[in-house]
Amino acid sequence: MTQLPPPSEVKLGLVIDLDTCVGCHACVVSCKGWNTENYGVPLSDMDAYGSNPVGTFLNRIHSFDVQPETGPAQTVHFPKSCLHCEDAPCVTVCPTGASYKRAEDGIVLVNEDHCIGCGLCAWACPYGAREMDAAAGVMKKCTLCVDRIYNENLEEVDRVPACVRTCPSGARHFGDLGDPNSEVSLLVAARDGVDLMPEQGTKPVNKYLPPRKKDQLVQPAGTGCGGHMEEVAAEPKGFLAWLDKSLEAL
Amino acid sequence: MHPASSVIVFTVLSGFGFGCLFWLAIGLPDLMGLDAFVYYAIAFAVSVVGLVSSTFHLGNPQRALRAFTQWQTSWLSREACLSVIALVVMGLHAILVIFFGTNLQWLGILGAFFCLATVLATAMIYVQLKTVPRWNHMGNLVMFLLLSLTGGAIFTGSDWVVHLLIATALLQVGVWVYGDGRFAASGSTIESATQLGSLGQVRLFEAPHSGSNYLLKEMVHIIGRKHAVKLRFIALLLMSVVPALLAMMMPLSVVVLVVIAGIHIAGVMASRWLFFAEAEHVVGLYYDKR
């Protein structure tokens, strides 16, 4: 059914730390790997070894350059996948009922056997979280690795989404954002986590932790390099002074 | 947004077809027998060709029947259901008029209602999308309905043809001008998309992929906008101005009406092409493209 269920108590989702993400794309690769071999049809590539390769991915890393009014610019790596929105517009527009939000944990999924591949859900998503698979003609999206997180055949440590398990910098966190005392909720509260495009009214479950403020190197007055070395002389002396004067005179 | 030809043909022809059926439903003109048969046959054919072409852009059209199930939330599903109801009611109306010479007024009014409701649902598929600010206002809804009524008025040689054609020109210009400011008014920016605006000015440093992908092909269609201004003039001339002048200067014989209809439909196609090509999806912000 494409009617949204009443807001669930459990809201499983991701918290993404823009301060720690190093932009290595390991989560992109692990996501593609897991989701090609497990839930639903594989994530296909078209012309994979040709001149114009195109493929389906559920997770992509954009890199932004942020220029403050003064000082150098800052690079922010920005992973983006389905935000499992509470008011998911992709669910209600679906004409077949293939797109749905689970009442028990809030995960937004696609029943690929019912999907006609009309693409309207991808149009309704502001975040570009859905991609039509060119080989299968059905809509693909992040499943929050629903086939891992409840999978008792896996070691407990592996019962998190593939992207979270693989992240080498600890920039991705998985948990219940419906529980205010969960680790992820506490993290969001401590770091002032934000919603992407709040003006779209989608109420995303996934949160983003903005980059921390850069610290400034404070130098004690009159000392160079934090007081460890003598200051470099502004005026040359001795041979250099003679050379400077002679070259000026030429 | 990518202007897929199947979707342009679908919206233009089904709009025209249901507009024709609307005028036949309210008995303008009041036809009987063979005349009625010809008119109804053309109107049904155009509507059905439009509806069928909508299935050509589906990834799995063999499951299209499932699209009739989610009418409670989905405008696309409502459009599917309403179009079938409209065709069935109007089919009944047509049979009674053609073969039994009876024009049941209540059945006609019911049919006319469902014809307009179908066009409204078609428009709502686009108008509902908050992610495409240019589409997301009622002006487009009125535009779809007005174009449908105008197409039907040309088809039936209605006395209202010139009035409706002038109205389409005025509304079209209004929708274009208003639409141009919609993206800025939506409040979505690269800063709101990334929530990094408090740190400084944001621009894309490196795209997530060097090639294209489904999102860019489907929703960040930039190339078609190069000639948008010229195309607006062409669309306006063909859709409204030339047909209106012809309708004012010539007697509305069948030949003249066929010519007017041909020119008008070509103009609506151009306008609908622009409707897609000029529409910008907010996901483009993540790619620093619109």
Side-chain angles (χ1 to χ4, degrees), chain B residues 14-16 18-19 79 114-124 141 144-146 148:
Chain B
S14 74
F16 187 88
F18 283 108
E79 198 265 350
F114 279 111
C115 287
L116 288 189
T118 304
V119 178
L120 179 135
T122 308
M124 281 306 291
L141 184 64
F144 269 68
L145 285 169
L146 185 62
S148 176

Side-chain angles (χ1 to χ4, degrees), chain A:
Chain A
M1 267 310 266
T2 53
Q3 268 173 315
L4 288 167
S8 57
E9 257 178 55
V10 178
K11 300 183 208 299
L12 296 184
L14 300 176
V15 173
I16 293 170
D17 190 343
L18 298 179
D19 197 62
T20 23
C21 176
V22 294
C24 68
H25 292 237
C27 54
V28 178
V29 178
S30 66
C31 169
K32 177 103 170 175
W34 180 265
N35 286 294
T36 287
E37 293 159 2
N38 294 281
Y39 182 99
V41 298
L43 300 171
S44 71
D45 290 316
M46 300 283 129
D47 194 21
Y49 303 100
S51 58
N52 188 24
V54 180
T56 313
F57 287 79
L58 310 182
N59 178 31
R60 296 194 186 258
I61 315 301
H62 300 239
S63 295
F64 294 101
D65 163 294
V66 188
Q67 177 66 61
E69 267 179 45
T70 54
Q74 178 179 359
T75 306
V76 179
H77 301 292
F78 195 95
K80 191 165 60 58
S81 54
C82 174
L83 307 174
H84 298 281
C85 302
E86 239 172 274
D87 277 347
C90 55
V91 170
T92 50
V93 298
C94 175
T96 67
S99 193
Y100 65 104
K101 187 170 173 70
R102 289 170 29 130
E104 62 270 35
D105 54 17
I107 299 179
V108 176
L109 287 177
V110 174
N111 175 352
E112 293 174 6
D113 295 335
H114 287 195
C115 176
I116 55 173
C118 69
L120 190 57
C121 55
W123 288 10
C125 172
Y127 308 108
R130 290 173 169 247
E131 298 190 17
M132 180 99 76
D133 189 83
V138 295
M139 196 54 74
K140 300 295 294 185
K141 69 172 296 300
C142 162
T143 66
L144 212 59
C145 285
V146 68
D147 47 357
R148 286 176 69 102
I149 57 178
Y150 296 113
N151 191 339
E152 289 180 1
N153 296 317
L154 299 177
E155 299 270 339
E156 201 169 341
V157 69
D158 286 325
R159 288 181 214 157
V160 291
C163 57
V164 174
R165 185 75 180 95
T166 209
C167 179
S169 67
R172 306 181 70 102
H173 307 268
F174 165 70
D176 176 11
L177 287 142
D179 171 7
N181 296 315
S182 68
E183 274 181 41
V184 280
S185 295
L186 295 175
L187 189 60
V188 171
R191 294 275 308 280
D192 294 325
V194 289
D195 290 347
L196 303 185
M197 284 203 229
E199 72 279 4
Q200 285 278 334
T202 53
K203 296 196 208 146
V205 169
N206 286 14
K207 304 287 179 219
Y208 281 73
L209 307 179
R212 294 182 175 93
K213 278 236 152 51
K214 298 253 182 202
D215 49 3
Q216 302 287 329
L217 198 62
V218 183
Q219 293 192 2
T223 55
C225 298
H228 297 297
M229 288 170 78
E230 273 182 41
E231 261 191 282
V232 178
E235 288 292 319
K237 287 175 197 160
F239 172 72
L240 283 177
W242 170 81
L243 188 66
D244 186 43
K245 218 182 283 174
S246 313
L247 288 172
E248 289 276 343
L250 274 177

Side-chain angles (χ1 to χ4, degrees), chain B residues 156-170:
Chain B
T156 53
S158 162
D159 297 338
W160 293 90
V161 167
V162 177
H163 305 86
L164 285 168
L165 284 168
I166 292 170
T168 58
L170 296 175

Side-chain angles (χ1 to χ4, degrees), chain B residues 58-207:
Chain B
L58 299 181
N60 282 286
Q62 76 281 7
R63 302 176 190 148
L65 280 182
R66 292 200 182 275
F68 291 94
T69 60
Q70 301 301 314
W71 50 269
Q72 284 173 301
T73 65
S74 166
W75 280 106
L76 181 48
S77 184
R78 286 172 197 161
E79 198 265 350
C81 297
L82 287 167
S83 65
V84 169
I85 296 172
L87 289 177
V88 168
V89 173
M90 287 310 296
L92 213 58
H93 188 256
I95 289 170
L96 289 175
V97 169
I98 295 165
F99 298 107
F100 299 96
T102 357
N103 190 342
L104 289 182
Q105 207 182 9
W106 64 268
L107 192 63
I109 290 171
L110 197 67
F113 169 79
F114 279 111
C115 287
L116 288 189
T118 304
V119 178
L120 179 135
T122 308
M124 281 306 291
I125 295 171
Y126 307 101
V127 171
Q128 68 174 336
L129 294 174
K130 242 183 148 176
T131 49
V132 185
R134 185 183 282 280
W135 290 350
N136 188 224
H137 64 89
M138 288 301 139
N140 286 310
L141 184 64
V142 183
M143 191 76 219
F144 269 68
L145 285 169
L146 185 62
L147 282 174
S148 176
L149 289 177
T150 308
I154 296 171
F155 176 73
T156 53
S158 162
D159 297 338
W160 293 90
V161 167
V162 177
H163 305 86
L164 285 168
L165 284 168
I166 292 170
T168 58
L170 296 175
L171 185 62
Q172 178 68 87
V173 171
V175 165
W176 279 334
V177 172
Y178 182 61
D180 288 344
R182 288 286 296 169
F183 201 100
S186 76
S188 289
T189 59
I190 191 168
E191 280 79 19
S192 81
T194 60
Q195 293 290 306
L196 295 171
S198 60
L199 299 178
Q201 204 184 346
V202 184
R203 72 181 178 102
L204 187 68
F205 175 66
E206 195 169 15

